[in-house]
Amino acid sequence: MKDHFLVTGGARLEGAVKVDGAKNSVLKLMSASLLAEGTTVLHNCPEIADVPYMADVLRGLGCEVELEGPDVVIHTPAEISCDADIDAVRQFRASVCVLGPLTARCHRAVVALPGGDAIGSRPLDMHQSGLEKLGAHTRIEHGCVVAQADRLRGASVKLDFPSVGATENILTASVLAEGTTVLDNAAREPEIVDLCHMLQAMGAQITGEGSNTITVTGVERLHPVEHTVVGDRIVAGTWAYAAAMTRGDITVGGIDPAHLHLVLEKLKLVGAEVETYPTGFRVVQRERPTAVDYQTLPFPGFPTDLQPMALALCTVSEGMSVITENIFESRFRFVDEMTRLGADATIDGHHVVVRGVERLSSAPVWSSDIRAGAGLVLAGLYADGVTQVNDVFHIDRGYPGFVESLNALGATVKRVSVE
Ligand code: UD1
């Protein structure tokens, strides 16, 4: 079944919406449950397809997993398998996060290499070299990454780039290693901090989370815990842009606004009124937005995952914007779809020059990945007429209940299922 959305443009979105736990955190937390025998309970999990996919990966390793709405319950046995089921792992890229926990627990991990990605090539060299510093041998064999270690020993690891995935795998491998690991140029994303908080509650000795140097002193064993997943800053940021795009007024709950500090500062430059609360924020846009420039960078920089929404806003802002993508090489594929809607945008290497127009007009467009799809929906909310956004299975992977929330805020969006 290939669903599409019919997005009617022109409505001003108004009201309140609450975000669930972060997609980019829950999968890593589920994987961290492999580190401790017993029952792990995760609350505030988003109901997206990647959660049951990860449950299948964990089941293939010997765990029992129950999915109960926003709660995920994982029973990890004393002995787990080290071979992540190829079919289960191929379903989604984030499954590579089982590499660290499996190497730590079983001293051997075989994980199928995730395939290519619409947003660019996504190598694992930093994951591998980090695990090698800890004493593992790694190689690529028959389409899988294989890691093996008699024992893991703490080491000094300096990443070439603050990769989110490599930081996570090195962390989850080092918590049970002998001695101290110092991870330099580590990623600082809130999802990394969330993972560290869960590992600390499990008994891991970790300091420096949220800074670019994380220190881990290995312990003999960890115990299972109950943990609440951090709010999804990318979904929250998407709502912030939806408010600006539709000259609307949206209050977003379930999120620490500090996780979107730069995003909200950018929206103030655009002309939005922004109020923050302990667990949320409100964005009100009254006038035509002003064009601003963006460049994507690791946290606390502007998130690459919000670049398509920022670009959508630039297409209807007053003035010219230059958007620079520094994280993923092919993240501008959706720009041609934006031009079908009448956007004036020109790609030049890893920059896009956008000249704001007053009007977009509806057309059929195709999503190429989760965030590109959300960016196209935002453009459709502004465009005259009804925009058909195709291949929305991408959007469904990141936005639970998206259509229902949009309609509750005053939009007219219909999901159409075609057999
Ligand atoms: C995670 C997020 C993704 C987000 C990205 C950057 C998940 C499931 N996904 O992806 O939504 O856009 O962080 O914030 O959490 N790289 C290498 N070698 C490596 C590892 C990475 O060259 O070994 C490169 C990648 O190709 C990319 C850059 O580093 O160009 C950033 O990747 P990374 O931070 O690792 O992103 P992911 O963890 O894959």
Side-chain angles (χ1 to χ4, degrees):
M1 214 141 59
K2 262 197 158 182
D3 292 6
H4 60 258
F5 294 164
L6 295 176
V7 182
T8 303
R12 177 170 200 260
L13 299 200
E14 282 178 290
V17 65
K18 187 179 167 296
V19 299
D20 300 318
K23 162 185 168 288
N24 287 350
S25 199
V26 66
L27 305 172
K28 327 302 173 63
L29 303 176
M30 288 175 75
S31 164
S33 71
L34 290 167
L35 288 164
E37 181 189 346
T39 301
T40 297
V41 182
L42 297 174
H43 302 294
N44 198 32
C45 300
E47 293 187 47
I48 51 172
D50 284 5
V51 169
Y53 286 154
M54 182 54 107
D56 283 344
V57 172
L58 297 182
R59 288 185 189 113
L61 296 168
C63 301
E64 277 175 41
V65 187
E66 294 150 38
L67 305 178
E68 296 162 2
D71 294 336
V72 172
V73 182
I74 302 158
H75 307 281
T76 303
E79 297 287 323
I80 53 175
S81 154
C82 65
D83 278 87
D85 174 58
I86 293 208
D87 288 331
V89 168
R90 281 223 182 93
Q91 302 274 5
F92 66 116
R93 214 205 116 74
S95 55
V96 80
C97 64
V98 297
L99 190 59
L102 286 182
T103 312
R105 273 277 327 258
C106 312
H107 301 278
R108 186 178 141 81
V110 183
V111 181
L113 280 174
D117 201 300
I119 61 177
S121 118
R122 298 175 84 170
L124 295 179
D125 53 310
M126 286 188 266
H127 301 238
Q128 286 184 257
S129 61
L131 292 177
E132 293 202 352
K133 281 269 167 62
L134 299 178
H137 296 286
T138 72
R139 60 184 188 280
I140 304 293
E141 205 171 82
H142 307 302
C144 297
V145 48
V146 181
Q148 229 160 343
D150 291 339
R151 51 182 227 222
L152 292 175
R153 269 186 298 261
S156 161
V157 181
K158 191 168 177 67
L159 294 178
D160 290 345
F161 180 89
S163 153
V164 170
T167 299
E168 288 160 349
N169 268 328
I170 296 163
L171 268 172
T172 48
S174 61
V175 285
L176 292 177
E178 228 177 273
T180 299
T181 297
V182 179
L183 179 56
D184 265 325
N185 204 19
R188 302 168 58 186
E189 272 66 5
E191 296 77 25
I192 301 275
V193 175
D194 196 29
L195 174 63
C196 288
H197 286 168
M198 172 161 151
L199 292 169
Q200 286 161 339
M202 291 168 78
Q205 287 187 20
I206 301 176
T207 56
E209 70 278 8
S211 78
N212 49 18
T213 302
I214 304 178
T215 304
V216 183
T217 302
V219 296
E220 287 261 309
R221 68 181 60 242
L222 297 173
H223 55 83
V225 288
E226 257 187 76
H227 180 85
T228 300
V229 184
V230 70
D232 196 315
R233 69 194 160 98
I234 304 301
V235 175
T238 302
W239 291 122
Y241 274 94
M245 190 82 194
T246 64
R247 296 182 206 172
D249 177 352
I250 303 181
T251 300
V252 185
I255 185 75
D256 179 346
H259 296 169
L260 283 165
H261 179 73
L262 187 59
V263 173
L264 297 176
E265 288 302 310
K266 282 280 180 191
L267 284 167
K268 286 183 196 166
L269 292 177
V270 158
E273 292 159 30
V274 178
E275 276 176 56
T276 57
Y277 315 111
T279 58
F281 60 83
R282 177 178 177 200
V283 174
V284 186
Q285 181 81 34
R286 298 184 201 277
E287 309 289 336
R288 184 173 179 201
T290 307
V292 296
D293 294 338
Y294 291 91
Q295 61 167 311
T296 64
L297 284 170
F299 190 84
F302 192 87
T304 174
D305 287 350
L306 283 174
Q307 177 258 99
M309 299 64 162
L311 194 145
L313 186 66
C314 292
T315 67
V316 298
S317 296
E318 187 156 5
M320 193 181 88
S321 312
V322 178
I323 294 162
T324 304
E325 172 58 54
N326 292 309
I327 312 292
F328 289 111
E329 69 209 12
S330 309
R331 211 153 197 184
F332 286 142
R333 287 196 185 163
F334 72 100
V335 171
D336 286 343
E337 301 302 302
M338 289 283 184
T339 56
R340 280 165 173 280
L341 298 172
D344 180 349
T346 313
I347 304 175
D348 179 5
H350 68 127
H351 310 285
V352 177
V353 178
V354 183
R355 288 178 183 80
V357 292
E358 289 207 26
R359 198 179 147 249
L360 295 177
S361 69
S362 58
V365 289
W366 277 261
S367 323
S368 48
D369 72 85
I370 308 178
R371 311 302 169 187
L376 290 169
V377 170
L378 294 202
L381 288 172
Y382 184 91
D384 297 346
V386 180
T387 294
Q388 179 167 331
V389 182
N390 295 297
D391 292 344
V392 299
F393 59 90
H394 289 298
I395 304 176
D396 291 337
R397 285 190 45 223
Y399 293 87
F402 197 36
V403 170
E404 293 73 13
S405 301
L406 282 163
N407 289 335
L409 292 169
T412 305
V413 180
K414 207 170 136 197
R415 175 188 288 272
V416 180
S417 301
V418 184
E419 288 291 338

